[in-house]
Structure formats: structure tokens, C-alpha cells
Amino acid sequence: MSIESLYPFLHAGAADRDVLVADVARSTAEKVGEIGRLRHDVVAADAAELAACATAMAQRFDRGGRLLAFGNGGSSTDAAAMAALCVDPGPAWRPLPALALAADVATLTALANDVGFENVFARPVAAAGRPDDIALGLSTSGGSANVLRGLAVAHERGLLTVGLAGYAGGAMAEAAERGEIDHLFVMPSASVHRIQEAQTTTYHVLWELVQRALGRP
């Protein structure tokens, strides 16, 4: 998708300033409306599943488990944000042990170079994952091979597996049907921007529900 298709009013040549400002305002309002509707749709479809997932996560944390979060590109930064939120939530909340697997650049690049990029999350999960841990995999497409492998290995080792996907869920939805992903949350949109915004909301909601299940605040 080109920049021109996303913001045609910025690539239309000379334009009246007032018209341009109005187009920008309209485009912004449309995007705010889109993400609002998407968030509503996710909550409407998955409220009970979010509560069940948070309860299961809280039980793992209460037994000493850790969160292992991973994804590619923007999803990698979301995984890092979720891990940071757990580890350093602020004084009113309970710190929880969490790792963003892509933050270990030495391991990630060594595996990508020597073993294959599809294994950059599976190998760390296999090496360090414990049955009380939680594996959280994020993919806007739902088809990231390395995220799917990481979740599959986590499932094999008894970890709680949680997935966030976009579109219709892709291969992650198929993995959930096979029982390889315990809790899957799909953001039903074809826009990567809206998917990632909705995924951010979803993992923040999960985090807060986990905190409340643990008795904080």
C-alpha cells in the first residue's frame, strides 16, 4: 500500500490551504472512528475470553511463571512494551517477570544467521521456557512463521500460549483450532495500523485484568 493511497490529499499537487486542512481533519476523524469501532468489536467478541485468559495468566504468575513475549517489526516493539509494562508497572501495581525475546539481539541474530529466522523464537522458548510460563506471540497477519513456531514449541512444553493476530487470524487461527494456542484474540481489520492499535489496547486490557486477578491495586 503506497503513501499516496493512504494520504491522497497530501499528494494531489497544489491545493487550497483550507481544503487541505479540512481533508486532514476528515481523514483523522475517520481513522479515530475506525479504531473505536474495531476496539468495540474485539471487546464484544472476546470479553469472556479476555477474562479467562487473564485469570489463567494470573495463575501462572502466582506460581512463579514469566511472560515470554515475541513478534516481528512493530509487533516486536509491542512485545517489548508488554514486557516493560509487566516489569516496571509503576508504584501502584505488582511487578511481574517478563522477557521480550527479540531484545536479546545476540541470540536472535545468531539463530537467524546459523539456524534460520523461522527459529529465532522457538529456540529460546525451548531452551528457557518452563511449564508455568506464558508465551505471548503477536502477528498482524497471523501468519508469521517464527511466531507460530515459537507458540508451537511453547505449547509442546506446557506453557500457556496467547496469540494476537489481525485480518481473520490466518495460520494462528488454524493453530488455535488445533489447540496449539490456548487464547487467541483476532483484530478483524485489513489495516495494519488499526490492527496494531487494537492489539495495543488488547494487551493493556489483559495486563490490567491480570493485575486485578492478582489483587492489585
Side-chain angles (χ1 to χ4, degrees):
M1 182 178 291
S2 67
I3 294 295
E4 289 84 353
S5 66
L6 291 172
Y7 306 102
F9 46 81
L10 297 179
H11 297 269
D16 179 85
R17 180 178 179 275
D18 291 340
V19 172
L20 179 60
V21 170
D23 283 342
V24 172
R26 174 188 51 76
S27 176
T28 301
E30 288 175 355
K31 290 175 174 57
V32 171
E34 287 173 10
I35 185 56
R37 288 188 294 274
L38 181 57
R39 286 169 173 150
H40 177 273
D41 291 346
V42 172
V43 170
D46 293 328
E49 187 71 8
L50 283 164
C53 179
T55 298
M57 291 175 67
Q59 291 169 348
R60 300 287 178 122
F61 281 124
D62 215 27
R63 297 200 298 263
R66 305 161 299 165
L67 177 73
L68 309 179
F70 47 92
N72 299 293
S75 295
S76 176
T77 62
D78 279 330
M82 178 60 166
L85 183 63
C86 287
V87 172
D88 186 16
W93 304 92
R94 173 175 169 176
L96 301 169
L99 300 169
L101 298 187
D104 185 350
V105 177
T107 297
L108 186 145
T109 53
L111 289 170
N113 185 65
D114 300 338
V115 181
F117 195 67
E118 68 277 9
N119 293 302
V120 295
F121 303 133
R123 286 293 185 91
V125 169
R130 304 179 305 219
D132 281 334
D133 290 340
I134 304 152
L136 173 67
L138 300 98
S139 170
T140 54
S141 67
S144 302
N146 54 4
V147 173
L148 287 159
R149 285 203 179 197
L151 290 169
V153 169
H155 172 71
E156 291 170 2
R157 282 158 174 72
L159 281 72
L160 180 72
T161 51
V162 182
L164 274 67
Y167 296 89
M172 288 178 75
E174 297 172 6
E177 290 179 1
R178 296 194 299 270
E180 294 174 3
I181 300 178
D182 298 309
H183 301 278
L184 177 65
F185 303 99
V186 177
M187 317 296 124
S189 172
S191 166
V192 171
H193 307 81
R194 305 294 86 78
I195 291 167
Q196 292 187 329
E197 289 166 353
Q199 287 183 342
T200 299
T201 301
T202 300
Y203 66 71
H204 273 85
V205 168
L206 275 175
W207 171 82
E208 184 170 342
L209 290 174
V210 166
Q211 289 284 347
R212 295 187 183 281
L214 291 169
R216 297 287 183 94

